[in-house]
Amino acid sequence: MVRTADLLPLAVAVPLLGAVVLVITGRRLPRPAIDALVTVWAALEVAGLVLLWLRTGDGHSVSWLGGWTPVHGESVGIVLVGDRIGIGLALLTSALVLAVVVYSWRYFDEPPVAHAGTFPALLLLFEAGMVGFALTGDLFDTFVFFELMGAVAYALTGYRIEDPRPVQGALVFGVVNSLGAYCSLLGIGLVYARTGELGFAQIGVQLTRHRPDALLSVAFVLIVTGLLVKAAVVPLHFWLPDAHSVAPTPVCMLLSGVMVEFGVYGVARVYWVVFSGPHGIAEPHLRATFVTAGVLTALVGAVMCWQQRHLKRLLAFSTIGHVGLFLAGVALLTPAGTAGVALYVAAHAGVKAALFATTGVLLDRFGSVDEHGLYRRGRELPFVGALFTVGGLALAGLPPFGTGLGKAVVEHSGQERLPWLPAVFVFVSALTGGAVLRAGVRIFAGAGPRPRERYAGPETTGGGEEPEIRDPRRRIPVPMLAVPAVLLAPALAVGLLPGPGVALAHAARQFTDRTAYTAAAFGHHVGPSAPVPDVGWNTEGVLLGLVSTVMAVLFAAVAVWGPVLRSPLVGPVTAVCEGVGRRVIVPLRRLHSGHLGDYVAWLAVGVAVLLVAMTV
């Protein structure tokens, strides 16, 4: 009988061991055997995390690797600490990796023999980094798993080395994220110099003995810089659309589905356990700074999403917009806000992965991800079009999807302090969902006139792409159609079934309870100190979800049929939109220049702004 504590290191070890086995045997096994092996391995990881989730319940699972437990409160060992938010995120990651593995059964058809086991091995390494990041209770090992996750993501992004574009995207991704990681490492060094500890709980206890000062604020900003870069928070976000536009489709499913959300999770974990003590970072200061950052990120992501015709970039900017909403919800610093974000993330992962999966079908069938170039060409793929449309409605927050429920819970949690926040959530959901619906009706229904250029300025079209499968004329493999359909089902179940919401409500109360985490890390147990937040549907949440969905449909309809409408309102509205486009959209596009030096400069600006905001 495996002990619960032993399941924590196994959760990290299983994918690591699987990657080693695939590298060793990949050149000797035929492709079907490799696909079967990696699928079984990914399924074992899901099963192990399900068992860990069930056994942990509403408590904590703690494992000191090698038996190096604290002595008189001092520790030098590596600790893994699992609660339902951390284990749930690891489980979500493993489930999405399994879906990606199945989707990739026919991916890179007829690969070079030397690469036969490389791609699935990299997927398992990526999974190990993300699962370890979710379960670690040690600040330095957070950086270690962060770097493992990042290094493998760079390799996956640039996997098609015969094309210079993925290599360039991976280079930008790697440099910007590595600079953010170095900032985090410097912040960890400052905290270690102050406390002599690296465990989350141990640092938190030590910081209660020190008065807050500039060093503490600077350390916090530096630590979260790397996490905010990974989360693609404005103005640290420029790498993400460039990477998504060139990464293989299965990689995009993981990058947008779970990886960027780990940045938001890391910020929340570090704050609640390490810096939320009586002498930590002041709540009002943190709330104002990070809600502002989240709202700015959400608005920039939504506006840029609407302007894209390259489908992968459109979905990437949609991810930026929704990550901004996640950050704003977490920054409310309430159990209800955290529960809402957890529901939102759980549903968004399946929806976004499904949308990228359907985009991959278009790429493989037509060699293009250009909304304009694909006009009417998708009419032969009605099932894919239906899945794409459902994904757009889910992004818009349509009840009863889990995205709508998570949005409703966060809106309700924030409206007392920030009564304008629901308007931001509705607008961002409507604009990102509307962009997907606009592309869907043009590509799969051939609706409206052929799209035309609206504004002058730099634009990535998405045409002339190389199909990711060698023979795009073949019948679409069943897994490439089944996986997005299966991924959309849990997103609906999260909103329909009460079980996930109740479990995540208890998990959010536990996640925001610093005392309970610290006690568990030291081998003690304390009861809950806050009520369980209400995460059910309410009338206001349903109405706001319907409003955002109707707005998304209207946005899409005006974009598609507006040019042929005969109405006295069309001319003035068009003129206003053209003026806004030239004055706002074109400069915003030009900021996304693709030049690495520009992105590094914006990283420096973002760090400077955070330092000023958190220390003044």
Side-chain angles (χ1 to χ4, degrees), residues 456-547:
E459 187 171 25
T460 303
T461 65
E465 299 282 341
E466 287 292 330
E468 294 176 328
I469 292 178
R470 297 300 177 95
D471 184 9
R473 295 170 297 177
R474 68 177 182 176
R475 173 176 290 185
I476 301 172
V478 172
M480 294 183 68
L481 299 176
V483 166
V486 171
L487 287 171
L488 289 171
L492 183 61
V494 168
L496 276 176
L497 304 178
V502 172
L504 290 176
H506 284 85
R509 176 184 65 172
Q510 177 193 59
F511 184 84
T512 55
D513 190 342
R514 175 177 176 272
T515 303
Y517 186 100
T518 302
F522 284 101
H524 308 298
H525 174 76
V526 296
S529 59
V532 177
D534 181 12
V535 296
W537 286 102
N538 55 58
T539 303
E540 178 189 21
V542 172
L543 290 176
L544 288 175
L546 292 175
V547 167

Side-chain angles (χ1 to χ4, degrees), residues 377-585:
R377 297 178 70 185
R379 288 181 294 179
E380 64 185 70
L381 303 172
F383 184 67
V384 178
L387 294 176
F388 196 83
T389 302
V390 170
L393 293 172
L395 277 189
L398 175 66
F401 279 97
T403 47
L405 177 57
K407 180 173 79 73
V409 173
V410 179
E411 288 167 346
H412 184 72
S413 173
Q415 66 181 0
E416 182 176 345
R417 286 192 178 95
L418 305 169
W420 48 266
L421 193 61
V424 175
F425 274 69
V426 168
F427 176 75
V428 171
S429 299
L431 205 57
T432 55
V436 174
L437 293 175
R438 179 199 70 201
V441 296
R442 280 176 172 166
I443 295 169
F444 298 103
R450 183 171 292 277
R452 63 182 179 86
E453 305 295 335
R454 292 184 60 83
Y455 315 121
E459 187 171 25
T460 303
T461 65
E465 299 282 341
E466 287 292 330
E468 294 176 328
I469 292 178
R470 297 300 177 95
D471 184 9
R473 295 170 297 177
R474 68 177 182 176
R475 173 176 290 185
I476 301 172
V478 172
M480 294 183 68
L481 299 176
V483 166
V486 171
L487 287 171
L488 289 171
L492 183 61
V494 168
L496 276 176
L497 304 178
V502 172
L504 290 176
H506 284 85
R509 176 184 65 172
Q510 177 193 59
F511 184 84
T512 55
D513 190 342
R514 175 177 176 272
T515 303
Y517 186 100
T518 302
F522 284 101
H524 308 298
H525 174 76
V526 296
S529 59
V532 177
D534 181 12
V535 296
W537 286 102
N538 55 58
T539 303
E540 178 189 21
V542 172
L543 290 176
L544 288 175
L546 292 175
V547 167
S548 62
T549 304
V550 170
M551 287 176 60
V553 173
L554 289 176
F555 286 157
V558 170
V560 172
W561 289 284
V564 297
L565 292 178
R566 303 296 181 187
S567 169
L569 295 176
V570 171
V573 170
T574 302
V576 170
C577 291
E578 293 287 346
V580 172
R582 292 189 181 92
R583 292 178 175 84
V584 178
I585 304 304

Side-chain angles (χ1 to χ4, degrees), residues 107-172:
Y107 188 72
F108 289 145
D109 207 24
E110 300 175 8
V113 175
H115 295 167
T118 303
F119 186 75
L122 287 173
L123 288 179
L124 292 182
L125 277 177
F126 194 33
E127 179 179 23
M130 291 188 286
V131 169
F133 188 90
L135 300 180
T136 184
D138 182 279
L139 194 56
F140 182 76
D141 287 301
T142 298
F143 169 78
V144 171
F145 287 118
F146 181 94
E147 280 298 275
L148 174 60
M149 184 197 320
V152 179
Y154 315 150
L156 287 169
T157 300
Y159 188 76
R160 299 177 68 95
I161 58 174
E162 67 276 8
D163 186 344
R165 290 173 296 180
V167 177
Q168 171 67 16
L171 178 64
V172 172

Side-chain angles (χ1 to χ4, degrees), residues 4 8 52 56-63 79-88 134-137 265 269 510 517 520:
T4 302
L8 284 166
L52 180 59
T56 300
D58 292 329
H60 293 81
S61 294
V62 180
S63 176
V79 62
L80 300 176
V81 181
D83 57 16
R84 278 211 154 172
I85 291 289
I87 297 171
L135 300 180
T136 184
Y265 166 82
R269 177 68 81 189
Q510 177 193 59
Y517 186 100

